[in-house]
Amino acid sequence: KAGVTQTPRYLIKTRGQQVTLSCSPISGHRSVSWYQQTPGQGLQFLFEYFSETQRNKGNFPGRFSGRQFSNSRSEMNVSTLELGDSALYLCASSFLGAEKLFFGSGTQLSVL
Amino acid sequence: AQKVTQAQTEISVVEKEDVTLDCVYETRDTTYYLFWYKQPPSGELVFLIRRNSFDEQNEISGRYSWNFQKSTSSFNFTITASQVVDSAVYFCALSDVNAGNNRKLIWGLGTSLAVNP
């Protein structure tokens, strides 16, 4: 069974640009969660999608958005990038919710 | 508010030593879940264990064991006879239970474990 796939693995952007990250969950998993990981703040929850609906949202500004498609694949978008958005963005999938998360290797975003 | 504290930022041990990673949590929920995840250098978080708040039985899995004590709000993780491959960052997490199955995890800042040969 293929694991969680995140693309791209690395991204370099400049301030003000926007970026879209992609996540393909494990086959059969309907829940996809996104986390931001930074050395100072650790892992912070961004949002969770289940069957194309956002069920939970963390405390991030509206520049951070996401969506989930009918095949459970998910994308997250960050608009008007700021230097502080530099982080490892992790996607996790599960069958129902947070009972056991399977993580991808993440997308390392650098904002210059 | 929910909170997870991993007081040990970095631990360094020599191979074959036993090591315990501490995790203290705060929550007002009566039903909750606690987790441990491992993050090796590759970056991918790997699930180790989930424990629900009603099950205080200690768990052992090979060289890994977990000690859950509600009285002290702690969920500590011990690696016996550590190996170099155990080198990773270990995270403790707590579920933030909303309605139904909607949950998000509150994470500790992690403990970086270095096992030296």
Side-chain angles (χ1 to χ4, degrees):
Chain A
K1 208 175 200 182
V4 178
T5 304
Q6 289 189 247
T7 56
R9 186 72 179 91
Y10 300 95
L11 263 180
I12 300 176
K13 293 285 188 180
T14 56
R15 277 184 303 173
Q17 287 186 310
Q18 76 165 22
V19 66
T20 299
L21 313 181
S22 179
C23 173
S24 293
I26 290 173
S27 178
H29 285 187
R30 296 161 65 189
S31 169
V32 174
S33 303
W34 289 88
Y35 287 85
Q36 181 195 67
Q37 186 177 20
T38 59
Q41 299 294 320
L43 279 147
Q44 293 185 286
F45 174 81
L46 280 156
F47 26 67
E48 184 220 358
Y49 287 87
F50 184 85
S51 293
E52 302 179 66
T53 300
Q54 186 182 88
R55 290 202 300 191
N56 274 296
K57 190 176 190 306
N59 297 322
F60 279 81
R63 300 185 296 105
F64 292 81
S65 63
R67 58 178 175 169
Q68 187 180 33
F69 302 95
S70 58
N71 62 358
S72 293
R73 191 177 71 85
S74 177
E75 289 180 348
M76 69 163 278
N77 184 276
V78 188
S79 63
T80 319
L81 283 166
E82 300 177 0
L83 294 178
D85 296 333
S86 295
L88 179 66
Y89 290 87
L90 292 162
C91 166
S93 78
S94 65
F95 184 64
L96 288 177
E99 72 282 5
K100 178 178 178 180
L101 298 175
F102 293 83
F103 282 84
S105 296
T107 294
Q108 183 67 55
L109 172 65
S110 297
V111 182
L112 307 178
Chain B
Q2 285 93 343
K3 185 179 178 182
V4 175
T5 302
Q6 294 180 255
Q8 305 146 309
T9 306
E10 295 180 357
I11 300 177
S12 181
V13 299
V14 176
E15 211 171 13
K16 298 184 182 175
E17 279 186 46
D18 298 347
V19 58
T20 295
L21 309 182
D22 297 333
C23 173
V24 174
Y25 63 93
E26 296 174 29
T27 182
R28 284 177 290 186
D29 294 331
T30 53
T31 301
Y32 52 89
Y33 292 89
L34 293 161
F35 302 79
W36 276 94
Y37 280 83
K38 172 183 179 180
Q39 187 175 40
S42 62
E44 184 176 324
L45 281 149
V46 177
F47 170 88
L48 294 177
I49 190 172
R50 181 184 80 156
R51 171 69 72 224
N52 77 52
S53 52
F54 295 107
D55 183 3
E56 287 194 68
Q57 206 169 17
N58 290 335
E59 174 134 353
I60 298 174
S61 176
R63 297 184 296 107
Y64 295 171
S65 62
W66 291 269
N67 184 335
F68 175 33
Q69 292 193 339
K70 280 181 79 170
S71 60
T72 56
S73 297
S74 65
F75 186 42
N76 296 336
F77 171 34
T78 297
I79 302 174
T80 303
S82 59
Q83 299 176 2
V84 173
V85 293
D86 296 327
S87 297
V89 181
Y90 291 85
F91 291 93
C92 179
L94 167 70
S95 62
D96 180 1
V97 181
N98 296 316
N101 284 319
N102 303 346
R103 303 189 190 99
K104 65 180 183 183
L105 296 184
I106 309 298
W107 298 79
L109 291 180
T111 297
S112 177
L113 173 65
V115 181
N116 303 298

